Amino acid sequence: MKKKLLFTIPILLMASIIYVSLCNDAEEKVSEITKLKEKHQRFLDNSPYKDTKHLTKKQRKAKALPPNGYFEQLWERTLDPNLGYPNTKGALKIQHDLIAANKNKFEQFGVPGQNASNAWVERGPGNFGGRTRGILFDPNDPNNQRVFAGGVSGGLWVNNDITDANSVWTLVP
């Protein structure tokens, strides 16, 4: 009995010490997050755009401000909660890192039409140049395969099976 007691007491003591230290770490993390949230809220409350972002177009025009408060709202949405302003240097670094990471993909596949393995495939009505002004999937088609396209140079075209690479566009009379 004494041997079991001598064995279990140190184990329980170690378990309680580990539990207390983990709880303290969790509390510290929560308090850091809470402090960061409070800091972010202070930055938003003291935003240089807090007075102008809710103005109407007429009021903005009277104050010689741009008619759209988009950039003012974007500034607040992209604000680094630790710095108090948007961290564009960090964004540029991320952008350069993404470009460097994807460079191999661009070299492997290339630009469409650059080589035979990544050739352009003509898919238009009659396979000739022109701009499409509007496109509509037929709402009455239960398979969502029938598509209408209106060309800038005129004409309404229909394709009865857009999923088939060999399907033909025909002019609607």
Side-chain angles (χ1 to χ4, degrees):
M1 180 71 176
K2 288 182 182 178
K3 288 183 181 180
K4 287 183 182 177
L5 192 60
L6 288 174
F7 181 71
T8 56
I9 288 176
I11 291 177
L12 290 174
L13 186 61
M14 290 294 282
S16 63
I17 290 171
I18 292 172
Y19 177 75
V20 169
S21 67
L22 289 176
C23 287
N24 286 340
D25 289 344
E27 287 175 7
E28 287 176 12
K29 287 181 183 177
V30 169
S31 67
E32 287 178 25
I33 291 171
T34 305
K35 287 178 186 176
L36 187 61
K37 285 182 179 180
E38 290 170 357
K39 190 176 182 181
H40 185 239
Q41 189 59 48
R42 273 196 317 271
F43 288 138
L44 290 176
D45 292 341
N46 297 320
S47 169
Y49 303 113
K50 71 178 178 181
D51 297 327
T52 60
K53 69 179 177 182
H54 298 294
L55 296 176
T56 63
K57 285 187 179 182
K58 199 175 208 180
Q59 293 168 330
R60 293 180 73 81
K61 188 174 182 180
K63 292 187 177 199
L65 294 170
N68 187 346
Y70 169 76
F71 293 108
E72 297 167 4
Q73 293 173 10
L74 180 67
W75 190 88
E76 290 183 349
R77 284 196 312 265
T78 59
L79 160 81
D80 186 334
N82 201 28
L83 298 175
Y85 57 88
N87 187 1
T88 55
K89 291 180 183 175
L92 286 174
K93 183 185 179 312
I94 291 170
Q95 186 178 17
H96 290 301
D97 291 346
L98 286 172
I99 290 170
N102 290 326
K103 189 173 184 180
N104 292 337
K105 291 180 185 175
F106 293 132
E107 290 173 357
Q108 180 182 1
F109 297 110
V111 178
Q114 184 178 6
N115 56 34
S117 65
N118 195 15
W120 283 102
V121 178
E122 296 184 50
R123 296 286 305 212
N127 288 333
F128 57 85
R131 293 178 293 150
T132 302
R133 179 71 175 160
I135 191 162
L136 170 76
F137 279 85
D138 187 356
N140 299 323
D141 182 19
N143 299 325
N144 288 328
Q145 293 178 339
R146 185 177 172 134
V147 178
F148 292 97
V152 172
S153 58
L156 178 65
W157 299 81
V158 65
N159 187 325
N160 290 318
D161 187 4
I162 196 70
T163 59
D164 182 15
N166 298 321
S167 65
V168 178
W169 289 87
T170 54
L171 184 62
V172 176

